[in-house]
Amino acid sequence: MAKDQLQVLNALDVAKTQWYHFTAIVIAGMGFFTDAYDLFCISIVTKLLGRIYYHHAGDAKPGTLPPNVSAAVNGVAFCGTLAGQLFFGWLGDKMGRKRVYGMTLMLMVICSLASGLSFGKSAKSVMATLCFFRFWLGFGIGGDYPLSATIMSEYANKKTRGAFIAAVFAMQGFGILAGGMVGIVVSTAFKARYPEPSYLDNPLASTVTEADYVWRIILMFGAIPAALTYYWRMKMPETARYTALVAKNAKQAASDMSRVLQVEIEAEQEKIETADQSNNFGLFSKQFARRHGLHLLGTTVTWFLLDIAFYSQNLFQKDIFSAIGWIPDAKTMNAIEEVYRIARAQTLIALCSTVPGYWFTVAFIDKIGRFAIQLMGFFFMTVFMFALAIPYQHWTHKDNRIGFVIMYSLTFFFANFGPNATTFVVPAEIFPARLRSTCHGISAASGKAGAIVGAFGFLYAAQSRDPAKTDKGYPPGIGVRNALIMLGAVNFLGFVFTFLVPEAKGKSLEEMSQETEEADGGEEMRQQARSEIRTVPVY
């Protein structure tokens, strides 16, 4: 850390928690609320899409999306998100956080509306149009990851920075919850208006023509919170750390933060002009590899491994919902009733497991640290995954299914009170300002690659070895038990790679990135900083 830090950066680091902190959390958090809503609401309407567009007369069961179509509809947004994280992460460091922030939000608004207006003469063309718009929706969502995390980290004080960034990410939980609630409200309204028979009683009448409006309304609703946030995002000033350290305009940084903090701040332009130029290394330089190479490896690998486990929850979610009676056999319901049941199940899971886990992280991240929470989360995820996998036959018996539900909920809880939150927080704290958004985007994109592996690779892998027992259209796999054992191993690897991630609790962003060192004695200070910022924290 520099002996004489810029006054504007020091003012941000030591600022007491103020109204502008909460405003920034809400503005950035509403983006994440929308992100989660848009990414997860598709799972509520997937079954309905199968009934509407892939019904075959005479089938004993309702129509379902073919495996390749289902993978495309559910996964194309992940592909767009991965691309958006890399592109907008890089752009945020080149053009500034604020200028790019508005672009991502408008893309989300437009593509949310367009997804609900997907058109075509055939089922294939409707699905193709839907996939096209959901890719670009994901592209906009991807930009929100590095930009929201970076903006919040650069606005926050060092004492409560972890809680503020985690609170932005925790809005995901409310987004998932809102998706379920919107699904409940829309399906209830249509169910009351069109009380149709079950598929078993009348296959054709069980899916009314008006059901086509249900999935469109649910998808389009995601545009509303994003649109409401746009004005406030555009009013936010550029972060002082970008303006001062990247754009090299200390006067503008001091002016912006004087208004935000309501204090007088000296510009100190001469400090920026005389700063050590040896710190201006690029992402692919030897200096970056020496200082931050292991850190970037740690953030990318842990996020990748976490998302494999986190998004593979679909493996046993259907068993849980069926076991506790939340979702009966599809043929005993009509199309809109099935949407209602799925939405209700998602809402209950979010309420009981997802949301509490996020806010436990917010409460404790600045008390026990990022490293401890991530290590603890991966440890318990490993334990519970193996506890589900090894005696898997035990859990399949009807009398033991409540225990299975509890184990599943605990696994999910410790994902959220653990690496699902910390992998988002840490990359926004440990890299230099000029590369912070880029490195966060790379880490997040690695996570989305893991999500694709978890959501789809393991969906195929978990199919029964017996071809007669596989889901319709899927080839035989290794079975759920073996898939769960593999996921337990994935979580253990996440535990191991966490030791590459440094602890940022209570330290300024410049102290973590070592980017404001002065030319005099620079190498000596770098050696001291490296000894203080250990990969494995010492308590």
Side-chain angles (χ1 to χ4, degrees), residues 3 32 37 55 59 177 185 244 253 301 321 364 380 382 393 437 443 456:
K3 293 178 181 176
F32 260 84
Y37 181 94
H55 168 73
D59 276 5
L177 189 64
V185 171
V301 173
F321 294 159
F364 291 104
F380 281 112
T382 304
Q393 292 305 317
S437 180
S443 302
F456 306 108

Side-chain angles (χ1 to χ4, degrees), residues 293-488:
L294 285 177
H295 297 162
L296 185 59
L297 178 66
T299 58
T300 53
V301 173
T302 53
W303 206 335
F304 175 78
L305 295 169
L306 174 275
D307 273 7
I308 290 176
F310 187 80
Y311 284 91
S312 67
Q313 59 178 297
N314 293 329
L315 293 182
F316 39 104
Q317 205 168 69
K318 62 181 181 181
D319 296 329
I320 290 170
F321 294 159
S322 299
I324 56 183
W326 286 356
I327 302 181
D329 192 344
K331 63 188 177 188
T332 65
M333 300 178 283
N334 63 43
I336 297 174
E337 173 70 18
E338 188 172 32
V339 173
Y340 170 80
R341 295 279 189 152
I342 294 169
R344 188 182 67 170
Q346 181 170 302
T347 302
L348 289 169
I349 287 290
L351 203 56
C352 300
S353 183
T354 309
V355 173
Y358 283 125
W359 290 97
F360 264 74
T361 301
V362 174
F364 291 104
I365 193 167
D366 287 312
K367 292 182 173 64
I368 62 178
R370 295 87 166 121
F371 179 84
I373 288 177
Q374 185 161 311
L375 209 61
M376 174 195 68
F378 271 126
F379 173 79
F380 281 112
M381 288 172 70
T382 304
V383 169
F384 290 125
M385 201 66 82
F386 280 130
L388 285 170
I390 295 170
Y392 183 70
Q393 292 305 317
H394 168 80
W395 298 119
T396 59
H397 297 144
K398 192 172 182 179
D399 294 341
N400 302 323
R401 285 180 173 176
I402 296 301
F404 186 86
V405 173
I406 293 170
M407 299 288 276
Y408 167 79
S409 298
L410 286 170
T411 306
F412 210 29
F413 173 81
F414 280 105
N416 293 315
F417 180 31
N420 193 37
T422 55
T423 51
F424 176 81
V425 173
V426 173
E429 300 181 298
I430 64 176
F431 299 108
R434 67 189 175 282
L435 298 171
R436 186 169 291 135
S437 180
T438 301
C439 290
H440 195 285
I442 292 170
S443 302
S446 176
K448 274 298 166 280
I452 293 168
V453 173
F456 306 108
F458 274 89
L459 186 61
Y460 280 84
Q463 294 297 318
S464 173
R465 293 180 176 182
D466 182 354
K469 295 182 180 179
T470 61
D471 292 340
K472 185 178 179 181
Y474 287 88
I478 60 174
V480 174
R481 181 178 181 274
N482 291 330
L484 290 174
I485 290 173
M486 288 180 65
L487 288 170

Side-chain angles (χ1 to χ4, degrees), residues 26 47 67 102 117 123 181 206 226 277 285 322 333 362 381 388 412 418 461 466 469 474 498 500 506 533 537-538:
V26 171
K47 297 285 188 183
L117 298 173
M181 292 175 68
S206 68
Q277 296 302 310
S285 65
S322 299
M333 300 178 283
V362 174
M381 288 172 70
L388 285 170
F412 210 29
D466 182 354
K469 295 182 180 179
Y474 287 88
T498 295
L500 295 178
I533 303 172
V538 175

Side-chain angles (χ1 to χ4, degrees), residues 93-164:
D93 283 333
K94 294 298 179 185
M95 293 178 59
R97 290 63 159 125
K98 177 187 174 180
R99 289 177 67 186
V100 182
Y101 215 22
M103 297 180 197
T104 63
L105 206 61
M106 284 311 300
L107 194 55
M108 288 157 59
V109 171
I110 292 168
C111 292
S112 288
L113 294 173
S115 294
L117 298 173
S118 298
F119 53 86
K121 292 183 178 179
S122 65
K124 186 180 290 186
S125 58
V126 173
M127 294 301 109
T129 311
L130 177 60
C131 287
F132 174 81
F133 288 124
R134 282 194 61 80
F135 175 86
W136 291 107
L137 173 64
F139 193 72
I141 288 171
D144 231 42
Y145 277 73
L147 293 170
S148 290
T150 300
I151 286 171
M152 197 65 247
S153 74
E154 292 180 347
Y155 265 109
N157 61 54
K158 63 183 180 182
K159 184 179 178 182
T160 56
R161 185 179 61 237
F164 289 161

